[in-house]
Amino acid sequence: MNKTQGIFQLVNEEDLNTCVNCGLCLPHCPTYRVTGEDIYSPRGRINLIRSVKHGDLELTKEIVQALDTCIQCMGCEPACPSGVQYHSIISPVKAEMHSGWRWRDAPLRCGLYVVTHMRCLRLFTRVISIAQKLKIVPKQISVPKIDFPRPRFNKKPQVRSGKEVLLFTGCVMDAWYRNIHLDTITLLEALGYSVKISGDEYGCCGALHEHAGFNKSALKMQRKMQQSESVSTIVVNSAGCSASLKNALAGSRVVLDINELLYRHITDLQHLLVRRNETVLIQEPCHLRHVQGISKEVKELLEISFTVTQMEDDGLCCGAGGSFSFSQPAMATAVRGRKLDEVNRVIISVAPETISFIASANPGCLSFLAGGKIDVAIVHPVTLLAQSLSSLNAIGVI
Amino acid sequence: MSGVVHTSTAELFLVGQDASNMMGNPAGVCYPTSTAEVQEAVRWARSKGMAFIARGAGTGLAGGAIPTAGSLVICLTKMNNIRSVDVHRRAAWVEPGVLNADLSRHTSRHGLHFAPDPSSQQSCTIGGNVANNSGGPHCLSEGVTSAHILALEVVLPSGEVCILDAENSLFDLRGAFIGSEGMFGIATAIEVRLVQNPPHVSTMVVGFASVHEGAMAVSAIIASGIIPSALEMMDAPITRAVEEYVHAGFPLDAAAMLIVEIDGLEHSVSDGTRQVKDIVLRFGATSFKVAQSAAERALIWKGRKTAFGAIARIQPNYYLHDTVVPRKKLAEVLSQVSAIATEEQLQVMNVFHAGDGNLHPILMFDKRVEGVMDRVHRAGSEIVRVSLEAGGVLSGEHGIGLEKRDFMRWMFTENDLLFQQKLRAAFDPEGISNPHKVLPRGSGCADASSIPPGSWM
Ligand SMILES: Cc1cc2nc3c(=O)[nH]c(=O)nc-3n(C[C@H](O)[C@H](O)[C@H](O)COP(=O)(O)OP(=O)(O)OC[C@H]3O[C@@H](n4cnc5c(N)ncnc54)[C@H](O)[C@@H]3O)c2cc1C
Ligand code: SF4
Ligand code: SF4
């Protein structure tokens, strides 16, 4: 019986065979956690992909739904003792599912078009900022409170002699979170780096497209980055983008997540940062913890200035997932609900008045979580560190 | 969503499977969120003349959760609230879908935990633990699940709800229900006993040049009067597979590795550690290491507890056995197991609860290879046979399920089986609650509907 010949043939057979159906990944999957249903679990998804590939099951709407609702947070991957490379199973599947036109992808495609065209994005941002003032922003779009006009970059690098790095400014990150870029520059300059800005010339890195399975668009943008005559070390302060760029530019550029780079200077930072009498709760972005394996770095950096507490949910996703919260709002909101429960549990157990900030190193998580009604300020760790610089003794400032 | 029966092919395909190699073909699956909804589902199935089967996380290894053709799967994962924790009585009421590790995590703020810690504890449900009377490494000193259940709220196959406990009923029927593998009805709330987290713990990793020496050391440790909280053994191939994943610093040159854990008050822990060290050195230990921090200890246990999963790094499929043999026969049975595997040209690895003689020989294979399943099944039966011949029992903790059902006669007389069947009939006269499990066909068993396809034993 071979009902669906030819589907998912790009998925490697060995990758599928490594899964022994043990179920040890189940609790690490946010969509299984909120539904309790096998069809929304990594084990279930792998089994369905295998069976469709082998022609044992037809690609029904339930299976499409099961695969569409995978956030690709990769929480399942480090949890799997068999070493199943889940990303290499799900990525070609998502790409295949999005290779043709589906009406329901139309809003998502529009959104992705906007972020790759910086002028559109700026216009959209402007409209949103007005809508925010009028309090008429649709719920599905989780956008942070936007400062208008946008703060400006300094025309010239403040440090000229130090080691050069290129700060990748990206799309949404630059349109909505310019402040985080400024904080990043402040920190890097304090450490003696000469910081260049990638700017609109490179725009979006294609991480959002790749994540959503629109691989062709992602490739186009990645090629642009590869051909650029840029500085050899690229620093990225959005976890989703650093994960994607590391992959795309492997071999040609050194791509570092900002937390990784700062961690290399932790002893310098111990001298540069002041101690603050505040507590920070860390929210770990999936693309930092699960995909890049960066976890203790953020904690130890923040511990220089703050008392740090953590959640006890093994880094379970918050539901943002690139454009996931936009394309699958119901599942995303359920997943966020679980995260907020955990946040509130920690806040209550530590004593509500003592937690001053929630730190998250990814724009998607920042904006999606902020949309979920938490009383505590949600900020990028870089902002917290920059604000803790004792202005007197920065090494590099001329 | 809940309260509704799902019938999509994809969902039925998935809930037709668990962590064993078997597969069933149910007619529907539902996800109740309350005791009343479980009752409704049971009554609905009964009114349609359908069998029903409780499902937890589907991590069972003996096919206990494999549904018979045309049955209703009642999946309890959405009933996952911890209803109350009574710190003074050290007890908690939980719903059956609460995950084992979540419960202990939740009660850790009171310095308490649920003692049974199956290796699958991060994923498996308390309901599944009750149904399989599950054990784990720390059950050596604390006892298996049955020692930790204070009361059960059960939906009987008739649809009625009853409470099984020690105080309020004429008979204490908890013991009958625990380990009944879903054949006596569905547990919808469970009162568990919690135990105090130990003030001091010492976790030792010991390497040996042979499995035999390791096994002798295990007997000597127990004979010395020390009661370790856990005593686990892994052979060289599995140690290597696991080390690749966890990097816990396991001795890669050893032929066998022991994990010995002692807990209690500070001085007794340090005395115990010293005594264990003396004993293992006397039995030829080639390496001895004590975990220096909680993180190191956690890594050692992570290595032990993910051992089965790590096997896929060697072969895509495994078939895990679970038998218990008298401790003094450990070394002998292990060499028989390895001979059986060689005879059938299969790779075998061993990881087990050495302290209580609970063996887990794992046969590894690639099921795409022609004829391999026959060899696997033959080797599996042989392993059961040699274990029983050595005076052992059929299952230590994973249950009988479908997998070992037809071995029951090797261990029990017709009369034994008849009484078990009578007990079952007292709870489930129509034979509609997880039929065709545990009790072999022909033991006066009148279960409804047909046997699941793919049940190969
Ligand atoms: C990697 C791995 C390691 C394991 N290690 C161990 C171990 O160390 N020790 C051990 O004992 N087991 C172990 N197991 C086996 C398994 O995890 C346990 O048997 C576990 O208790 C099953 O729980 P579950 O929620 O997955 O139940 P399921 O597999 O879903 O069901 C198991 C049985 O319980 C019944 N059941 C489930 N819920 C209920 C309920 N509420 N009321 C009535 N019946 C119910 C089902 O009908 C079925 O017969 C391991 C499994 C794996 C995959
Ligand atoms: S993905 Fe890994 S952890 Fe999950 S069921 Fe498969 S083998 Fe087990
Ligand atoms: S990537 Fe995330 S959502 Fe998808 S199966 Fe894995 S854990 Fe679940």
Side-chain angles (χ1 to χ4, degrees):
Chain A
M1 182 174 47
N2 207 341
K3 297 172 191 159
T4 49
Q5 220 156 20
I7 297 186
F8 300 161
Q9 295 307 312
L10 287 175
V11 184
N12 182 303
E13 196 57 30
E14 282 316 303
D15 285 335
L16 289 171
N17 269 324
T18 331
C19 175
V20 292
N21 228 35
C22 68
L24 291 186
C25 51
L26 297 175
H28 301 275
C29 174
T31 59
Y32 176 78
R33 275 289 192 170
V34 298
T35 61
E37 300 178 27
D38 279 83
I39 193 161
Y40 298 118
S41 76
R43 171 172 77 170
R45 291 181 175 118
I46 294 169
N47 203 340
L48 293 176
I49 293 170
R50 188 197 296 118
S51 306
V52 169
K53 182 184 176 197
H54 292 176
D56 298 331
L57 287 179
E58 245 169 296
L59 185 63
T60 55
K61 67 174 195 308
E62 288 83 11
I63 299 183
V64 171
Q65 165 75 0
L67 300 174
D68 274 348
T69 50
C70 169
I71 313 178
Q72 294 185 88
C73 64
M74 300 304 149
C76 49
E77 211 174 278
C80 171
S82 307
V84 170
Q85 301 288 304
Y86 184 73
H87 70 275
S88 59
I89 296 176
I90 194 73
S91 304
V93 165
K94 288 252 178 182
E96 188 167 335
M97 291 192 349
H98 287 123
S99 60
W101 175 262
R102 304 193 303 179
W103 271 106
R104 92 185 90 120
D105 294 336
L108 179 59
R109 280 182 190 263
C110 279
L112 292 174
Y113 178 88
V114 171
V115 297
T116 43
H117 295 79
M118 291 307 279
R119 275 218 207 117
C120 286
L121 180 58
R122 273 198 292 270
L123 183 68
F124 171 76
T125 306
R126 185 74 209 274
V127 172
I128 290 284
S129 81
I130 295 168
Q132 279 180 340
K133 290 210 175 84
L134 302 174
K135 300 198 164 69
I136 49 165
V137 187
K139 263 212 196 105
Q140 204 175 350
I141 307 175
S142 44
V143 177
K145 171 98 192 43
I146 289 167
D147 292 326
F148 202 85
R150 214 163 33 146
R152 293 185 172 279
F153 287 122
N154 277 319
K155 288 254 155 39
K156 287 192 193 121
Q158 298 292 292
V159 179
R160 271 172 241 127
S161 52
K163 181 171 166 23
E164 268 198 349
V165 288
L166 182 81
L167 172 65
F168 177 75
T169 49
C171 52
V172 169
M173 202 56 209
D174 201 35
W176 301 350
Y177 292 106
R178 178 63 71 78
N179 274 325
I180 298 176
H181 286 334
L182 297 177
D183 293 332
T184 307
I185 296 171
T186 309
L187 273 174
L188 289 174
E189 290 183 340
L191 289 167
Y193 282 97
S194 167
V195 186
K196 280 187 157 180
I197 305 290
S198 71
D200 286 2
E201 193 189 333
Y202 303 115
C204 173
C205 64
L208 284 172
H209 308 69
E210 190 182 14
H211 193 89
F214 297 105
N215 286 17
K216 257 195 240 146
S217 328
L219 261 179
K220 216 160 57 192
M221 277 165 286
Q222 289 169 356
R223 224 167 273 138
K224 204 162 69 180
M225 291 289 304
Q226 279 157 355
Q227 286 156 1
S228 67
E229 293 274 325
S230 63
V231 186
S232 68
T233 304
I234 303 178
V235 185
V236 190
N237 55 16
S238 146
C241 306
S242 56
S244 161
L245 281 172
K246 265 185 191 173
N247 217 351
L249 302 181
S252 66
R253 300 280 192 294
V254 180
V255 177
L256 292 173
D257 184 86
I258 182 70
N259 295 291
E260 222 173 351
L261 179 65
L262 293 178
Y263 189 70
R264 294 186 182 172
H265 297 285
I266 192 156
T267 21
D268 293 334
L269 286 167
Q270 275 155 357
H271 297 296
L272 292 173
L273 301 180
V274 293
R275 188 75 206 157
R276 291 166 64 174
N277 191 16
E278 284 157 314
T279 303
V280 178
L281 170 63
I282 299 182
Q283 193 285 124
E284 301 187 81
C286 301
H287 278 77
L288 207 56
R289 172 168 166 156
H290 304 314
V291 178
Q292 300 183 67
I294 300 174
S295 172
K296 70 168 197 307
E297 289 83 348
V298 185
K299 176 168 175 275
E300 290 180 24
L301 284 167
L302 286 170
E303 272 172 349
I304 302 175
S305 293
F306 301 89
T307 306
V308 173
T309 64
Q310 281 179 299
M311 303 190 208
E312 285 180 9
D313 62 357
D314 301 317
L316 211 66
C317 178
C318 70
S323 54
F324 185 82
S325 62
F326 185 73
S327 56
Q328 295 289 337
M331 184 65 91
T333 310
V335 169
R336 179 174 65 187
R338 194 188 156 88
K339 178 61 84 179
L340 296 181
D341 288 348
E342 175 62 10
V343 168
N344 286 325
R345 190 194 64 72
V346 179
I347 291 179
I348 291 166
S349 70
V350 177
E353 61 285 358
T354 51
I355 294 200
S356 315
F357 304 101
I358 297 174
S360 180
N362 190 49
C365 313
L366 285 172
S367 58
F368 191 56
L369 277 175
K373 299 229 178 349
I374 311 182
D375 291 336
V376 184
I378 306 173
V379 289
H380 197 291
V382 157
T383 302
L384 290 175
L385 296 175
Q387 288 171 352
S388 310
L389 274 176
S390 72
S391 48
L392 301 174
N393 51 4
I395 328 174
V397 180
I398 317 166
Chain B
M1 234 187 283
S2 50
V4 176
V5 177
H6 302 213
T7 53
S8 80
T9 351
E11 278 171 282
L12 297 182
F13 174 75
L14 294 178
V15 298
Q17 305 174 40
D18 62 5
S20 69
N21 288 316
M22 290 167 262
M23 194 175 220
N25 187 12
V29 51
C30 63
Y31 298 89
T33 56
S34 64
T35 305
E37 283 182 8
V38 174
Q39 276 182 290
E40 204 182 310
V42 166
R43 289 197 172 123
W44 182 83
R46 194 159 167 252
S47 71
K48 300 256 180 261
M50 283 164 87
F52 64 87
I53 177 169
R55 178 179 175 89
T59 67
L61 291 161
I66 302 295
T68 45
S71 59
L72 174 69
V73 177
I74 301 178
C75 186
L76 297 143
T77 43
K78 288 193 205 265
M79 288 181 72
N80 60 358
N81 291 311
I82 296 173
R83 289 190 185 162
S84 62
V85 179
D86 184 336
V87 178
H88 298 295
R89 278 182 62 234
R90 293 196 187 148
W93 270 104
V94 303
E95 292 180 350
V98 169
L99 306 188
N100 177 305
D102 281 359
L103 174 58
S104 292
R105 193 181 268 188
H106 182 89
T107 57
S108 67
R109 72 196 70 156
H110 307 298
L112 300 170
H113 68 282
F114 180 58
D117 62 337
S119 304
S120 52
Q121 75 183 129
Q122 52 174 309
S123 305
C124 64
T125 66
I126 302 289
N129 295 167
V130 167
N132 279 358
N133 193 14
S134 297
H138 290 87
C139 292
L140 180 59
S141 60
E142 295 285 357
V144 293
T145 302
S146 58
H148 301 274
I149 303 300
L150 298 171
L152 292 157
E153 177 194 87
V154 174
V155 171
L156 295 169
S158 63
E160 291 156 293
V161 180
C162 71
I163 302 280
L164 309 179
D165 67 6
E167 288 136 32
N168 305 314
S169 32
L170 191 54
F171 300 110
D172 180 358
L173 293 174
R174 287 173 303 170
F177 191 89
I178 300 166
S180 64
E181 302 195 28
M183 298 169 61
F184 291 7
I186 298 182
T188 47
I190 300 149
E191 189 182 28
V192 296
R193 190 166 75 85
L194 299 169
V195 301
Q196 208 162 14
N197 295 351
H200 288 274
V201 184
S202 162
T203 311
M204 296 157 258
V205 172
V206 194
F208 288 93
S210 73
V211 173
H212 182 76
E213 282 166 324
M216 300 292 285
V218 167
S219 294
I221 291 169
I222 303 278
S224 75
I226 306 170
I227 305 176
S229 51
L231 185 42
E232 302 282 307
M233 180 141 67
M234 286 157 67
D235 70 5
I238 188 92
T239 304
R240 271 196 291 272
V242 167
E243 179 63 14
E244 204 182 301
Y245 165 63
V246 293
H247 312 293
F250 289 159
L252 292 175
D253 51 353
M257 184 194 109
L258 282 188
I259 301 174
V260 192
E261 190 163 280
I262 295 184
D263 62 26
L265 297 172
E266 192 169 4
H267 69 273
S268 67
V269 169
S270 54
D271 281 356
T273 307
R274 210 170 314 120
Q275 265 176 289
V276 169
K277 185 172 180 182
D278 288 346
I279 296 172
V280 294
L281 289 179
R282 227 178 321 124
F283 282 87
T286 49
S287 68
F288 179 88
K289 196 181 97 176
V290 184
Q292 296 303 317
S293 64
E296 240 178 80
R297 174 174 321 120
L299 211 54
I300 293 171
W301 282 116
K302 184 174 179 192
R304 166 61 188 87
K305 291 192 172 182
T306 54
F308 303 153
I311 290 157
R313 292 172 187 269
I314 302 168
Q315 289 277 344
N317 305 99
Y318 66 80
Y319 180 34
L320 169 71
H321 259 286
D322 162 48
T323 62
V324 183
V325 300
R327 216 166 22 238
K328 59 179 191 302
K329 297 268 181 77
L330 260 181
E332 183 188 324
V333 174
L334 281 175
S335 60
Q336 283 173 305
V337 166
S338 118
I340 292 166
T342 316
E343 172 79 27
E344 298 292 352
Q345 296 168 346
L346 293 164
Q347 271 174 289
V348 67
M349 298 205 268
N350 285 287
V351 45
F352 49 92
H353 310 310
D356 43 21
N358 188 181
L359 297 188
H360 289 323
I362 307 161
L363 299 168
M364 295 176 295
F365 56 96
D366 183 339
K367 68 175 171 208
R368 293 165 298 179
V369 173
E370 188 85 29
V372 74
M373 289 316 283
D374 294 337
R375 285 189 276 133
V376 170
H377 297 160
R378 266 202 310 271
S381 317
E382 272 303 285
I383 290 173
V384 172
R385 197 183 53 77
V386 297
S387 303
L388 293 184
E389 269 176 17
V393 299
L394 269 181
S395 164
E397 53 184 23
H398 298 168
I400 304 296
L402 264 181
E403 176 195 58
K404 296 215 179 96
R405 180 190 59 191
D406 296 338
F407 293 137
M408 289 286 275
R409 285 210 174 76
W410 294 8
M411 179 143 176
F412 298 103
T413 66
E414 269 315 305
N415 229 9
D416 292 339
L417 291 174
L418 190 65
F419 278 102
Q420 294 189 31
Q421 175 54 33
K422 279 188 171 163
L423 178 61
R424 196 265 161 95
F427 278 88
D428 179 18
E430 293 153 308
I432 55 171
S433 187
N434 200 7
H436 303 295
K437 303 291 163 60
V438 185
L439 297 169
R441 271 167 288 167
S443 55
C445 156
D447 284 351
S449 62
S450 57
I451 34 164
S455 64
W456 36 257
M457 278 184 175

